Amino acid sequence: MTKSVLPVGSSVLQRLNRTLCPQGHVFRGWWVVGSGGLANFFGAILFMQAFGAYVLLIEDEFGWSKAALAGAFALARLESGLLGPLQGWMIDRFGPRVIMRYGLVIFGLGMIALSQIASIWDFYIVVFAIALGSSLGGFLSVTVALVNWFNRHRAKALALAQLGFSLGGVLVPITIFAMETFGWRATAIASGIIILLVTWPVTQVMHHRPEELGETRDGLPDVEFRTRSDAEAKVSHPIDRSWEFTAREALRTSSFWWISLGHASSLLVVGAVMVHLVLHVHDSLGYSLGTAGLIVALVTFMQIIGQVGITIVGDRVNKQVTVVICMGVHAAGLLLLAYAENMAMVIGFAVLHGIAWGVRGPLMQALRADYFGTASFGTIMGWSSLVVMVGMSIGPIFAGWMADHTGSYTAGFAVLSVAALFGSVFFVLAKKPMLPERGTAPNKKA
């Protein structure tokens, strides 16, 4: 028994060592992963995952409608979508580090300004600024960096960085506790100060591409190895980008639009849940704010489970098929929440929605990089965000409007779950595109 177990453990450690330290030292790309994860963590725990609690307490203080409050979130997400093409171009042109620094400063100042709002227009303007800062300082900038640093371990790297967002959600009860103890205004000020303090250390290692530091993607020659001796020889090869799509070429493929529409469909659910979950659990189902915070934490804990699973197998599974399955799981989870009559159904929603979100998120970004390459990934993702953020904007507004007019979230959540299920068809249609004809015959090796 001992003889059969030890080699297995040793093999696992060897594979882990080759992944983390392919050339005898920790590959710098993993530091980029850690830095991106920290940026996602602070954005999640201090605002994105805590937004529902802010909405609840602001509604109690000012009496604004659910649709009006959701409208601020939707407008902010739409702004992020409109910013996407410009942000993507700026990241490709100047690199993620400088963009993230400006973004996190805007984010921190926006959180401090949130503490001073006195009208619905103040709220809209401040949330708009926070969204601008968190967009520049978060997801897109981190994603562009990671797809450039990794090839073989791309899905793994994206999943690990997004774990930061999930961990922020798990710990969001801390933020809610601060709101209940010190008030939402004091919590907003403290959050802004924290963001400003972490801006420099978080962004210091966010280099754009490995070539800038004399590295290669994954820390290995950017070729497909046929033998382990090839990898260990550490032969230097230039990164072949001849097969990769330009942004213009990508936008001319149907796959770009199918992936974007599918992503938007998934965010119908994600956006509605982020804004209205706490309100629904507290107002409609009658549980305390603390309990609602624990449900948010459970969603993101299950998201971590999904992300850990993808970290292990994400570079070996069929990404397209897996994302289609996740869309169905999203829909099933939201239906459970829509018709929840007890805590067991709410917990069932949290498990399904969290796992689907954790698995789907990294795979969609990895799928884009697999299809279009990384040379113009920031610009391609930026243009995609124009479509994607429509879903993030419509979902919360629709759910809030239905709740205002029907007195419950049941109908709104049910409609959005069906829309997400039908949205899975977009991913079915998203086949890997062929590189268009160019002036010279490219190397089409993928």
Side-chain angles (χ1 to χ4, degrees), residues 62 64 72 110 113-114 116-130 185:
F62 293 102
W64 300 329
L114 178 63
Q116 304 302 311
I117 66 168
S119 70
I120 188 67
W121 298 113
D122 292 343
F123 183 62
Y124 270 63
I125 292 169
V126 168
V127 172
F128 186 90
I130 292 172
R185 294 182 186 271

Side-chain angles (χ1 to χ4, degrees), residues 63-147:
W64 300 329
S65 72
K66 293 179 175 62
L69 291 165
F73 180 87
L75 178 63
R77 293 298 94 199
L78 188 59
E79 169 266 324
S80 298
L82 294 173
L83 174 69
L86 176 60
Q87 181 183 351
W89 175 83
M90 289 192 300
I91 297 169
D92 286 338
R93 176 68 177 82
F94 303 108
R97 178 164 53 183
V98 63
I99 305 302
M100 288 183 68
R101 281 180 178 168
Y102 281 112
L104 289 173
V105 168
I106 296 171
F107 184 12
L109 294 176
M111 289 300 299
I112 294 172
L114 178 63
S115 69
Q116 304 302 311
I117 66 168
S119 70
I120 188 67
W121 298 113
D122 292 343
F123 183 62
Y124 270 63
I125 292 169
V126 168
V127 172
F128 186 90
I130 292 172
L132 172 64
S134 61
S135 295
L136 293 174
F139 175 74
L140 180 55
S141 299
V142 172
T143 299
V144 172
L146 292 181
V147 299

Side-chain angles (χ1 to χ4, degrees), residues 326-337:
C326 287
M327 293 293 289
V329 177
H330 268 309
L334 192 58
L335 273 178
L336 271 179
L337 183 64

